[in-house]
Structure formats: C-alpha cells, structure tokens
Amino acid sequence: MSRWLKGLNPEQKQAVTHRGGPLLVLAGAGSGKTRVITHRIAHLLEEGLNPAQVLALTFTNKAAAEMRERLRRMLGKRAEPVTLSTFHSFGLSLLREWETERGPGSGLGRRVRRFVIYDTGDQLALLREILRRVRLGREFDLSALLSRISAFKNAFLPWDGVTESDDPYHQAAALLYPRYLEAMRAFAALDFDDLICEPVRRLESDEALRGRLRRRLRAILVDEYQDTSASQLRLLRLLAGPKTEVCAVGDDDQSIYGWRGAEVKNILRFEESFPGAHTVILSSNYRSVAPVLEVANAVIAENPDRHPKRLRAERGGGERVRLWSFPDGLAEATGVADEVERALRQERVPASEIAVLYRSSILARAIEPQLRARSIPYRVLGGASFFDRREVKDLVAWLRLSLHPGDEISLRRALSNPPRGVGPKTLLRLEEAARREGKDMMWAVEQSVRLLEPGDRALEPLGHFREQLAELRATLKGRDLATAVRRAAESIGIIEAMEEAHSEKAAEHRRADLEAFLQGVDDYCRTESRPDLREFLSRMALIGNDRDQADDAGSRVTLSTLHGVKGLEFAWVILVGCEEGILPHDRTLNPQITDVGGADLAEERRLCYVGITRAKDRLILSMARQREIRGRPQPRALSRFLSRLPEGATESTEFGAPASPEKAREMLARIREMLREPGAAT
C-alpha cells in the first residue's frame, strides 16, 4: 500500500487513487479535503507523474501557501516544481510568460506587453474619472455599476454587445462599458477579470498555444470548486486536454459567493463540463460534535438543487446546540459578551477558539463595546483590506507610476498625495491639452511649463513633482529594492504629510500600516534571489484581492461576518441575529435596484450552514425578539432556516424583559464613542 493512503478513510482513499477520467470530490465541511488534495498530488508523483506537470488551483493565497507547505513537509524538494496557485495568480503567470515571447503572433498586443494591475479601488477611481465626462442624469452607486461591468466582461461581451434593459443601472453600465475598456487599454491596465478573461481569449484563438499548454499540464486539481465562475470554468476546460487528470474538490452546500460571480451550477453540473466524471462523497466530519452536525444537516436539507449528502460525526458525545431568544438587540449583545467572558474566565476556553458570527456587520456595533467594557481582546474579520488603506495606496501609486508613466489613475493620486497645490482646475487644463494633442496625462505634466500660463501657481509644485518622480526612478535603479522603497516613502513626503494631517493616535495607526507594508517589501526581498518591483506590486495586488485576509487570532476572540469566516473553525461559536430580515438578509427577500442578479434564498441558507459548521464543541444560535431598525423598535421573527431543527439536538432558552431606556441610552453612547475612535478592534 502506498504510504500516502495510510490513515485515510475508504472515501478519501478512493479520491486519492482514482485515475483514468475526471473526478468530482464532494467534500463536506470538516471532511479533510486539503489532506485529500495534497495526498492525491503525492500519490500521482509516486506513480511517476512529473511534478512540473501538476497544477493545483485555489481561491486565496493563504490556502495556496498552506497547501504548498504541506507538500513541502511531505515531499521535500520534489514538491517544488508543482504549481500551486490561485486562479488569478495563474492567469497573471500566463500573461507574463506570453509577454516575453517573441516572433509573429506571439504577443497579446501592447495592452499586456507591460501592464499594471488595477484593484477595486483603482477601478472605482477610473469610473469616477469617466463620469466627470459622461452625464448620466442621476446619481449611481459606483460599486453596483462596476459589478455590472464585471459581469459584462466575464460574459465576454464586446464593447457594443450589451443587450438592452429597462434596468437603469444596466443602462448606465452599458453606456460606461466601452469607455471603461478604452481607458483600461489606454492606461495599459488589467483588472482582476482580465487575469482570467485575457488568457481565455488567447487560448481560444491560438490552437497551437492551447496544445502546448495541455501537453505541459497532465494533472489539474481545483480546490473550492463551488466558487468557480463561468469564466474560470471556461479557462479550466481550455487547460484540460483529453489526457489531463482533472480533479475538482468542493461542496455545493458551501457555495456562498454568488455575488462575486461564483456559479454553483458548475459543481452541480460537473459531468456536463467533464463527461464521464466519477463522483466521490466525503461525508465523515472530523471537526464537529454530533448535535452540531444534526442541526447543520437539518438546515441544508431544505435546499433544492443540491447533491444529496449528509455529514457524519466521527467525534463522540457533544452537548446540544443552544437556541437563545433575547428581548432586544442590547440584551443579546450583553448576553453574548457575558457568555464569552464566562467561557474565558470559568471554562478556560482560549480566546482564539471563540467566535461571534453575524450575517451583517452592523450587529458587531452592539457587541464590540460590551467586549471592551469587559476588557476582552478581539479582532474583527471582514473589514477593509489592508491594501485599501490610504497611506499604502499613496505609496503604491508612486511606485507604479515609476514603472508605468501611462497609468493615469496612479498619476492623479500621486499628484494629490501628499498635497502639493495642484488643484482640479489645473488637472482639467492639462487633461484637455493632452486630449487635443492625442497624448497622455504624463506628457501634459512634463510639458506643463509650455501648456500653463506664466506665473501659474501650479507650475512650481508640478516642477517639484517631476523632480521627485525622477529621483524616485533613480533611487529604485541604484539601490536594493527594500532600501529604495523605504527611501521613497521618506523622500516623497508621505510620512511627513501623514503626521501633519492626523491626530497623534491616528498617525500612529497609519505609521503602523505603512511599516507593515514596508516590512512586506523586506520579506519579499529576503525570499527572492532577484527581487523585482513590478513582480512585487503584482503580488500585492493579488493578495489585496484575497477574500481570506484573516490574521492570526493570537489571544483574541474573533468577530466576523459569515462570509469572512469561511474556512475557519472554533471550539465555541455564537451566531447572532438568527432572524428574518437578517438571516436571510432583507435584501434577499426585498432586492434593491443596485443588486446584480435576483434574490437567492438558497445561498442565504448555505451561508447559515457555513456558520453552523464552523463550530467544533459548542454552538449557540441567538435572536432578538425586538430590534431597533432605522431608529425604530421592530418585532422580529425567528429565521426560517431554524424552524425545523431536530428537538433531540437542541435546547431553547428565552431570556427576560427588554433593557431599560436608561440602559439603552448608555449603550448607544458607548457605540457612538467607539465609532469616533480609530482602530476600534483591539
């Protein structure tokens, strides 16, 4: 027997050893899917497959790194040639590879010869610039417009291929779509959709290239397959040849990213995409006690259109799931904080093993001050990305501009940060001059002495800007990368402006954020034999796009949205707000005009299931019978997802009367004070 089969259950062994056709592994929560993937790779190599011919794709850099480390421990240096990557990182690697090719028909054109990657913040900034020139007649939510443009791109629609619709957001996005594509091309920029769609276009149009890539990849494994989009499936089918061993691992019951383009039908109809597929179900759960799984099974069984399966507990015993009903939101927050304190002080549960989960982050506002009042340290997941913080984006704009002078979004940000006295009117005059001459904005900045009136107050700061940019380029060429980037942060004036513009406490937080970024540059330079700024910035953009950016919990309780906690597990889990209008969310029951796509009650139920299956030992599901909504107390009803739970696996407790008005006012004052302070999580 292969050593990689030892300790596996029969279903896991079947998933590891299957050969000769496509394989779908339906891996229930806590069933050991990562172990199956890594052991399958090890088994393939043991049977003689070249490790350089193995590609494993997942959705977060953290998951890819964890898988890479497991393989390193298992196989040592033999694992190094295996490609372990996110979809977007792999798409980027293909584009980088192709842009270095030479000869007729080898390139993708100027757009991807030397390109910059735009994150969501850059895309929104670009839309704002476009909207300065296009009058839509009303205000629109930019994120909603960007979501529709993303949908157009992932449907591979040409600039003039968007169908008509009565939806005003669809109409506005259709008007902006060709302008967005044109601007991205002019700025030599790619967004995250392009990192999938551009390789698809190239592979579909170049049969010889497609054949070479297929011969190179003899085994493809996809983790979290339920989260794949239509374009990612299209890429996967292009990569997989007739002799490619395709293995998809996922769980349709944990498909919760439909709002990001994930298509649950990809896993439900796997055999349509890969005919002759064999299916293995991993139903043995090694994480949770039996009562938790009984509740989870009961919740998800109500969903239509799913692969039928039922989790089995491999752990014995376990206490019943607790159903708590509080008179109002304040009482719920107080009760939850009391329970967390009791778990820490009396039960001696490590803080890192306790999580408070919620569908909507607004519920955390009541819980945070209660934890702080008890001196309980906590972290909050599901917030803004580290890479979206202003001081980090300011420095990145300067670094990108040093490499890509045509990147107008970075140019505009660098001209404004740190502030230098170049106002909107000056930028408009330069923009108009560049447009008349058929040039880009950097040309206008370089020619500002000729384009602006003598004595214009913007001439001096523009001259200083050109000097700083030239100095930055020289610094980056003449020093090692880590030292050069640190020097750049000082010479540009970002640190000085940051300290002048903010309170001492806020400046301290911003300095820490900037230092964390600079430390990231140091770490990158230590691990790379030939550090490259362009490559580093691409990596940072991809990491910033991760949906999983959870730091180490340390000795802190975790507060998280249900989306933010995917892939994690805790000994004690308290899921709050188990009410109609929260879980399922009101926007699912009453969709808004800004929403892309229709309501998906099935996905909300899957989200509830994901929250439940994070719990190992104790699970508490709580609700408030009354909650203040938009300033008015409103009665609440128990979530429909919890209406048919097995009685033998649960026990219910109904707590007393609502808090007094004085207590409620005190609580609101604490929340207001917390919202005024930077860095609320401690």
Side-chain angles (χ1 to χ4, degrees):
M1 177 188 289
S2 167
R3 59 176 170 152
W4 306 120
L5 302 182
K6 294 178 181 178
L8 302 182
N9 66 37
E11 292 81 13
Q12 291 173 331
K13 288 179 182 177
Q14 190 180 358
V16 167
T17 59
H18 174 81
R19 300 293 299 271
L23 173 67
L24 173 63
V25 181
L26 294 173
S31 62
K33 71 177 179 66
T34 304
R35 189 180 191 199
V36 165
I37 293 172
T38 52
H39 280 242
R40 179 172 173 83
I41 293 173
H43 185 69
L44 288 170
L45 302 190
E46 186 178 65
E47 292 196 335
L49 193 65
N50 185 338
Q53 294 181 309
V54 178
L55 168 65
L57 295 170
T58 186
F59 281 86
T60 70
N61 289 279
K62 180 180 178 182
E66 288 176 353
M67 210 177 296
R68 188 178 297 110
E69 178 58 24
R70 283 201 194 193
L71 275 180
R72 187 195 63 77
R73 291 198 301 265
M74 293 166 63
L75 301 172
K77 289 187 176 181
R78 189 148 186 255
E80 289 180 2
V82 174
T83 301
L84 288 159
S85 173
T86 65
F87 269 95
H88 290 103
S89 294
F90 181 68
L92 174 62
S93 70
L94 291 179
L95 295 178
R96 294 286 193 220
E97 177 184 330
W98 295 336
E99 78 171 343
T100 61
E101 294 178 355
R102 294 294 182 264
S106 65
L108 283 169
R110 289 182 62 191
R111 183 180 179 209
V112 294
R113 277 295 178 188
R114 285 179 60 85
F115 55 86
V116 61
I117 299 175
Y118 274 12
D119 62 18
T120 303
D122 300 318
Q123 292 174 273
L124 292 172
L126 176 56
L127 279 185
R128 289 189 195 97
E129 288 301 317
I130 295 172
L131 286 171
R132 289 196 303 109
R133 306 167 195 151
V134 179
R135 296 190 178 277
L136 297 178
R138 54 161 286 186
E139 292 289 326
F140 284 89
D141 181 285
L142 286 184
S143 295
L145 291 175
L146 186 59
S147 294
R148 282 163 173 78
I149 289 173
S150 176
F152 298 159
K153 295 185 74 172
N154 279 280
F156 294 87
L157 298 180
W159 67 270
D160 58 350
V162 180
T163 57
E164 294 183 1
S165 171
D166 293 333
D167 176 6
Y169 268 85
H170 182 98
Q171 294 171 354
L175 180 65
L176 297 174
Y177 185 48
R179 293 168 173 82
Y180 177 87
L181 296 179
E182 181 184 9
M184 292 288 286
R185 182 177 295 275
F187 300 164
L190 299 180
D191 58 29
F192 293 115
D193 294 324
D194 290 321
L195 298 182
I196 305 298
C197 296
E198 289 288 355
V200 167
R201 288 193 180 91
R202 176 72 192 275
L203 290 169
E204 287 182 340
S205 64
D206 192 331
E207 185 176 352
L209 179 63
R210 187 168 68 248
R212 289 201 304 272
L213 197 53
R214 285 179 169 182
R215 287 190 293 273
R216 197 170 87 194
L217 299 174
R218 301 304 301 273
I220 301 175
L221 301 92
V222 183
D223 187 20
E224 304 284 8
Y225 186 75
Q226 76 279 354
D227 294 337
T228 54
S229 66
S231 58
Q232 287 163 340
L233 174 58
R234 198 160 161 176
L235 176 61
L236 184 59
R237 294 182 67 181
L238 288 165
L239 296 174
K243 296 182 179 180
T244 306
E245 299 268 1
V246 175
C247 173
V249 182
D251 182 7
D252 51 300
D253 291 334
Q254 297 187 72
S255 179
I256 60 172
Y257 295 105
W259 51 280
R260 293 184 62 160
E263 297 270 10
V264 68
K265 66 182 181 183
N266 290 354
I267 194 169
L268 294 176
R269 304 173 189 172
F270 181 77
E271 192 169 359
E272 294 180 16
S273 300
F274 300 95
H278 179 68
T279 300
V280 175
I281 299 177
L282 304 183
S283 55
S284 295
N285 177 286
Y286 298 92
R287 174 188 299 161
S288 307
V289 293
V292 170
L293 296 186
E294 288 183 48
V295 168
N297 286 328
V299 167
I300 203 63
E302 299 292 322
N303 252 5
D305 301 325
R306 58 182 290 266
H307 288 293
K309 53 191 173 299
R310 184 177 179 85
L311 292 176
R312 298 190 311 269
E314 293 297 320
R315 297 177 57 199
E319 63 181 40
R320 293 184 179 189
V321 173
R322 304 180 183 193
L323 307 178
W324 285 0
S325 172
F326 292 93
D328 57 24
L330 174 57
E332 180 186 48
T334 303
V336 166
D338 287 343
E339 179 68 6
V340 170
E341 186 174 35
R342 192 182 69 79
L344 293 170
R345 315 291 190 231
Q346 299 178 27
E347 302 275 350
R348 300 296 181 185
V349 180
S352 61
E353 285 289 341
I354 302 173
V356 180
L357 310 181
Y358 34 80
R359 172 63 178 90
S360 176
S361 57
I362 197 171
L363 296 183
R365 295 181 184 177
I367 296 167
E368 286 190 64
Q370 293 289 341
L371 295 178
R372 295 173 75 182
R374 293 162 175 77
S375 299
I376 296 174
Y378 64 92
R379 62 171 180 165
V380 181
L381 304 185
S385 165
F386 166 80
F387 300 97
D388 285 336
R389 292 168 189 173
R390 178 175 175 176
E391 53 281 357
V392 173
K393 289 190 74 71
D394 288 347
L395 179 55
V396 167
W398 279 87
L399 297 175
R400 289 199 324 198
L401 194 60
S402 72
L403 298 173
H404 305 280
D407 179 1
E408 185 173 321
I409 298 303
S410 291
L411 172 59
R412 288 177 177 274
R413 188 175 191 103
L415 281 168
S416 303
N417 298 286
R420 62 185 66 252
V422 181
K425 291 183 179 179
T426 299
L427 290 177
L428 181 60
R429 288 199 297 271
L430 294 176
E431 179 186 332
E432 290 172 345
R435 195 181 301 129
R436 284 195 305 269
E437 298 292 332
K439 305 289 186 179
D440 60 24
M441 273 287 286
M442 181 57 80
W443 172 87
V445 170
E446 292 170 345
Q447 298 293 319
S448 57
V449 173
R450 182 169 64 84
L451 297 174
L452 298 179
E453 295 292 330
D456 192 309
R457 286 183 295 180
L459 286 173
E460 182 177 346
L462 284 170
H464 185 50
F465 172 80
R466 291 192 298 270
E467 292 171 2
Q468 283 185 307
L469 187 57
E471 181 183 343
L472 172 61
R473 288 173 177 151
T475 300
L476 291 170
K477 285 182 180 179
R479 300 170 185 253
D480 69 272
L481 182 59
T483 303
V485 173
R486 283 187 175 273
R487 172 68 181 140
E490 297 171 0
S491 63
I492 292 166
I494 289 176
I495 295 175
E496 182 181 356
M498 185 172 61
E499 293 177 348
E500 290 177 355
H502 302 283
S503 68
E504 183 176 344
K505 190 171 184 180
E508 182 180 339
H509 282 286
R510 294 180 184 275
R511 278 195 299 271
D513 290 339
L514 189 59
E515 178 56 35
F517 175 80
L518 295 173
Q519 185 60 51
V521 182
D522 293 343
D523 294 342
Y524 166 76
C525 291
R526 277 196 297 270
T527 57
E528 295 294 322
S529 57
R530 298 180 64 184
D532 177 74
L533 178 60
R534 187 174 174 226
E535 176 63 21
F536 171 76
L537 293 176
S538 295
R539 288 192 188 184
M540 291 302 99
L542 292 169
I543 293 172
N545 188 51
D546 257 7
R547 69 185 186 212
D548 177 6
Q549 296 191 39
D551 57 349
D552 184 3
S555 298
R556 295 177 293 172
V557 172
T558 295
L559 305 186
S560 177
T561 63
L562 290 171
H563 287 103
V565 82
K566 177 76 164 60
L568 303 180
E569 60 182 43
F570 304 89
W572 283 31
V573 169
I574 306 174
L575 175 53
V576 301
C578 296
E579 307 150 22
E580 288 291 295
I582 295 180
L583 186 64
H585 198 281
D586 182 62
R587 288 179 67 158
T588 304
L589 306 175
N590 303 289
Q592 298 182 11
I593 193 171
T594 55
D595 297 337
V596 179
D600 190 351
L601 198 59
E603 182 161 313
E604 288 290 299
R605 187 179 289 274
R606 293 194 292 269
L607 196 55
C608 181
Y609 172 82
V610 165
I612 290 170
T613 53
R614 299 312 93 196
K616 293 189 287 188
D617 302 323
R618 174 170 295 183
L619 174 64
I620 298 171
L621 305 173
S622 81
M623 67 161 294
R625 300 188 294 275
Q626 176 180 288
R627 196 178 292 277
E628 191 167 294
I629 307 292
R630 299 182 185 89
R632 298 179 60 186
Q634 296 184 16
R636 313 297 293 169
L638 179 68
S639 169
R640 67 188 70 189
F641 301 151
L642 307 185
S643 62
R644 299 177 64 179
L645 301 183
E647 291 184 6
T650 62
E651 61 178 42
S652 300
T653 303
E654 184 171 308
F655 294 90
S660 67
E662 292 76 15
K663 188 73 174 176
R665 282 193 292 271
E666 179 186 344
M667 178 66 183
L668 287 172
R670 285 184 184 176
I671 293 175
R672 292 191 188 100
E673 180 64 27
M674 180 195 71
L675 293 176
R676 281 196 291 269
E677 296 179 13
T682 58

